Amino acid sequence: MFASFLEFSVRAPLLSVADRSTIAIARHQLLICASDDGLVIETCKAYGVTYTRTLRLLAEMVETGHKTVIEVTTMADTLIKERGKHISPKVLTDWTTILQKYGTS
């Protein structure tokens, strides 16, 4: 795992230490890497690491019954308003439309 961490620092030097660690752990433990960072996604693709993006992860929580539509919508709002996450209005609108198939429970 540490060898991957070091390899990522050479092959993708702009990745943060946290991002390199996340990808290395996901790679060696066969986990899903959750990120919206373009460089993280590209590195995951290059190394065959399964990844998901934030809104997809939140939608999966609803689809599997772990969270309600209201809960994940609130979580997304928190990411945007309190943590400064940028999500384009079109992407957010499309996502909320997709969530409607699960109802508002």
Side-chain angles (χ1 to χ4, degrees), residues 22 25-27 29-35 44 49-53 57:
T22 298
I25 291 168
R27 183 182 192 193
Q29 299 297 318
L30 303 177
L31 300 171
I32 298 172
C33 182
S35 181
C44 286
V49 175
T50 304
Y51 68 91
T52 190
R53 294 180 180 264
L57 181 62

Side-chain angles (χ1 to χ4, degrees), residues 63-83:
E63 190 174 345
T64 59
H66 288 88
K67 297 283 182 189
T68 65
V69 171
I70 293 169
E71 289 172 322
V72 298
T73 303
T74 300
M75 292 168 78
D77 287 342
T78 298
L79 288 171
I80 294 164
K81 293 175 183 170
E82 295 178 20
R83 298 197 182 165

Side-chain angles (χ1 to χ4, degrees), residues 37-99:
D37 182 277
L39 185 55
V40 171
I41 298 299
E42 289 305 314
T43 304
C44 286
K45 287 179 183 179
Y47 287 90
V49 175
T50 304
Y51 68 91
T52 190
R53 294 180 180 264
T54 303
L55 294 181
R56 182 67 200 138
L57 181 62
L58 292 175
E60 286 283 332
M61 289 177 184
V62 174
E63 190 174 345
T64 59
H66 288 88
K67 297 283 182 189
T68 65
V69 171
I70 293 169
E71 289 172 322
V72 298
T73 303
T74 300
M75 292 168 78
D77 287 342
T78 298
L79 288 171
I80 294 164
K81 293 175 183 170
E82 295 178 20
R83 298 197 182 165
K85 179 163 187 56
H86 174 74
I87 301 173
S88 76
K90 167 108 173 73
V91 169
L92 199 54
T93 299
D94 291 349
W95 178 71
T96 55
T97 300
I98 290 167
L99 286 180

